[in-house]
Amino acid sequence: MPLTRKAYRAAILHSIADPAEVGIEASYEYFEDGLLVVDNGQISALGHASELLASLPADIEITHYQDALITPGFIDTHIHLPQTGMVGAYGEQLLDWLNTYTFPCESQFADQAHAEEVAGIFIKELLRNGTTTALVFGSVHPQSVNAFFEAAEKLDLRMIAGKVMMDRNAPDYLTDTAESSYLESKALIERWHGKGRLHYAVTPRFAPTSTPEQLTLAGQLLSEYPDLYMQTHISENLQEVEWVKELFPKRKGYLDVYDHYQLLGERSVFAHGVHLCDDECARLAQTGSAVAFCPTSNLFLGSGLFNLPMAEKHKLNVGLGTDVGGGTSFSLLQTLNEAYKVMQLQGARLSPFKSLYLATLGGARALRLEERIGTLQPGTDADFLVLDYNATPLLSYRLKQSKSIAETLFVLMTLGDDRTVAQTYAAGNLVHQR
Ligand code: GUN
Ligand code: ZN
């Protein structure tokens, strides 16, 4: 295959470590006039344009983006494909919201044509917002996951998804059985896990909608295949936490239910965790599990404020989740805008570099994919974004006042959204252009 080599010139910024561990200054690299070189879908060099240009052949194709910032693609560690059509459902908190809006909306995915239509809309929306990798809940129907992976494969995206397992406490039209969920998940794993850049996640919806038999089989799937992911919800809402205690009276608490069924581990991602206690954070960290922080959802559903400093204290891996449709935006920039306010309400700060980390390398580490995505290090996949400083008149005017990359980054996260993402590249291919 002939070598396809391209270079991109712009301001370039990426996280290289967690600011909580190394301090802010050592957590990022910034090139005011940078060059990113891409060979066959992978990054082959990154540096100052003045230094790198001399080492490249004179005829190399260079795309120069003015007034723009190149960053790694964003990573959404928690989102629901079949809730694309119900963002902004009025008036309820978690359990009533599920029964009133979510389950009826997800039931439409029994229809293959509907699943394909929404998968297309969903992937376009991810890319428009600069999300190049997501950990995705399908519906209970395998066709929701097949439709998603088929669309993601065509664009050579790095994506993770799974069919919801749910065999109780939901309408009959939306439940599987322990056995059917096992067999359907297995068939999806055999078809998709490890194909190109696709990975499978075993997906019990949350403890209340699975019988002990189903949770046992979820654990069994994880033991049968290497490197499978596990995604579920935990401790999002106080009524939910109480319900789990009633349903599983022998367990010490919510996390212990999942622990008992061997669902914790290095590729396990628990969404929300708003009401986790100290011991539960410690156990999550000890098992290498990760939590998805979902601020727009936690505010919209009135769930509560995620305690990021507690997670940091335990060195728990945390990624960022939009949680669409409980969340109100596909944009990780807007998600960071809300994350900042969640920290403010707890008397804490969220620095722009910690925010960048959460949306990129932090998410990659939560997914154990930091060797492939989340930074612009040579040798990783060329999944990157071009953020436009002139995306809106206000952003343009505001950024002209900026005195540092820290200020620019923070303003991008406060005023930015899908309009800010001018180009999205995945595996070196242009997959979205505004
Ligand atoms: N808990 C169980 N299912 C869901 C869901 O679909 N969304 C959210 N936010 N929480 C859940
Ligand atoms: Zn969710």
Side-chain angles (χ1 to χ4, degrees):
M1 205 166 68
L3 185 73
T4 61
R5 169 179 278 189
K6 286 186 181 167
Y8 302 88
R9 184 171 182 175
I12 302 179
L13 174 69
H14 69 154
S15 272
I16 53 172
D18 184 350
E21 286 176 14
V22 301
I24 285 174
E25 288 312 312
S27 78
Y28 69 93
E29 281 183 326
Y30 176 58
F31 305 92
E32 195 174 344
D33 179 15
L35 198 74
L36 184 74
V37 186
V38 174
D39 282 314
N40 286 335
Q42 294 200 356
I43 294 167
S44 58
L46 167 69
H48 296 286
S50 58
E51 291 169 14
L52 268 184
L53 281 171
S55 67
L56 294 169
D59 62 349
I60 186 171
E61 185 186 328
I62 299 178
T63 307
H64 196 163
Y65 293 115
Q66 307 277 356
D67 267 354
L69 182 68
I70 290 178
T71 69
F74 296 144
I75 299 171
D76 186 342
T77 60
H78 183 65
I79 187 165
H80 297 258
L81 180 151
Q83 296 175 18
T84 305
M86 57 159 290
V87 178
Y90 177 77
E92 307 294 352
Q93 294 211 352
L94 178 64
L95 301 179
D96 293 327
W97 174 84
L98 283 172
N99 287 317
T100 310
Y101 297 112
T102 315
F103 293 152
C105 185
E106 293 195 3
S107 72
Q108 299 173 75
F109 286 74
D111 174 18
Q112 172 80 24
H114 182 78
E116 285 170 16
E117 182 193 357
V118 179
I121 294 169
F122 178 82
I123 286 185
K124 263 207 185 102
E125 205 57 36
L126 290 177
L127 299 175
R128 291 183 61 247
N129 282 280
T131 298
T132 47
T133 292
L135 175 58
V136 179
F137 269 62
S139 68
V140 76
H141 317 93
Q143 52 267 42
S144 67
V145 174
N146 279 322
F148 173 69
F149 277 146
E150 276 164 18
E153 188 184 34
K154 285 195 186 115
L155 294 170
D156 194 11
L157 304 177
R158 189 172 289 284
M159 291 287 173
I160 313 168
K163 167 210 126 64
V164 158
M165 304 169 80
M166 173 158 74
D167 67 346
R168 66 167 169 171
N169 290 321
D172 288 346
Y173 61 75
L174 210 56
T175 46
D176 50 19
T177 66
E179 195 195 358
S180 73
S181 72
Y182 173 83
L183 293 172
E184 287 173 351
S185 299
K186 209 174 169 73
L188 289 166
I189 293 163
E190 297 279 352
R191 177 164 177 204
W192 294 111
H193 186 54
K195 190 166 188 216
R197 297 208 293 159
L198 306 175
H199 314 258
Y200 193 82
V202 174
T203 309
R205 178 170 215 120
F206 68 155
T209 47
S210 285
T211 57
E213 294 70 39
Q214 187 168 57
L215 294 174
T216 302
L217 289 176
Q220 191 174 318
L221 283 169
L222 292 175
S223 70
E224 283 176 30
Y225 294 89
D227 298 339
L228 273 184
Y229 288 86
M230 196 295 299
Q231 58 178 344
T232 190
H233 297 88
I234 193 165
S235 299
E236 174 179 4
N237 167 289
L238 289 172
Q239 266 185 312
E240 170 211 14
V241 174
E242 285 311 306
W243 192 23
V244 171
K245 282 185 196 154
E246 286 166 27
L247 290 168
F248 297 90
K250 288 195 189 141
R251 304 275 69 88
K252 278 185 294 189
Y254 201 157
L255 183 70
D256 192 44
V257 175
Y258 295 135
D259 209 350
H260 180 77
Y261 294 101
Q262 298 182 3
L263 299 178
L264 278 58
E266 291 200 342
R267 284 176 177 74
S268 295
V269 179
F270 295 86
H272 306 293
V274 170
H275 304 288
L276 288 170
C277 65
D278 213 55
D279 286 355
E280 289 177 316
C281 274
R283 179 66 184 149
L284 284 166
Q286 184 190 33
T287 55
S289 306
V291 170
F293 172 24
C294 305
T296 77
S297 168
N298 296 158
L299 295 172
F300 184 74
L301 293 177
S303 303
L305 306 175
F306 179 68
N307 189 341
L308 182 61
M310 178 161 85
E312 283 178 340
K313 185 183 83 183
H314 289 286
K315 297 195 180 348
L316 175 55
N317 278 328
V318 176
L320 209 59
T322 60
D323 192 32
V324 160
T328 48
S329 174
F330 275 80
S331 169
L332 283 176
L333 293 172
Q334 273 309 294
T335 304
L336 288 168
N337 181 19
E338 300 302 294
Y340 178 80
K341 297 168 191 172
V342 165
M343 290 303 111
Q344 279 280 37
L345 285 168
Q346 299 176 94
R349 295 258 176 92
L350 188 63
S351 90
F353 295 104
K354 178 72 187 200
S355 289
L356 176 68
Y357 173 79
L358 287 172
T360 57
L361 179 55
R365 285 184 175 167
L367 302 175
R368 306 285 160 177
L369 285 171
E370 67 272 26
E371 301 297 320
R372 301 265 33 98
I373 57 171
T375 71
L376 301 173
Q377 302 286 12
T380 65
D381 300 353
D383 291 0
F384 63 95
L385 313 177
V386 182
L387 304 180
D388 175 10
Y389 289 168
N390 298 316
T392 68
L394 177 61
L395 184 70
S396 181
Y397 178 67
R398 175 63 183 87
L399 288 182
K400 286 196 175 63
Q401 326 302 317
S402 173
K403 294 182 182 57
S404 65
I405 183 60
E407 185 178 350
T408 294
L409 185 58
F410 187 63
V411 171
L412 282 169
M413 289 162 175
T414 307
L415 294 180
D417 52 29
D418 53 336
R419 295 169 296 182
T420 316
V421 180
Q423 278 88 16
T424 303
Y425 288 86
N429 301 312
L430 182 64
V431 289
H432 165 70
Q433 171 135 260
R434 194 192 54 204

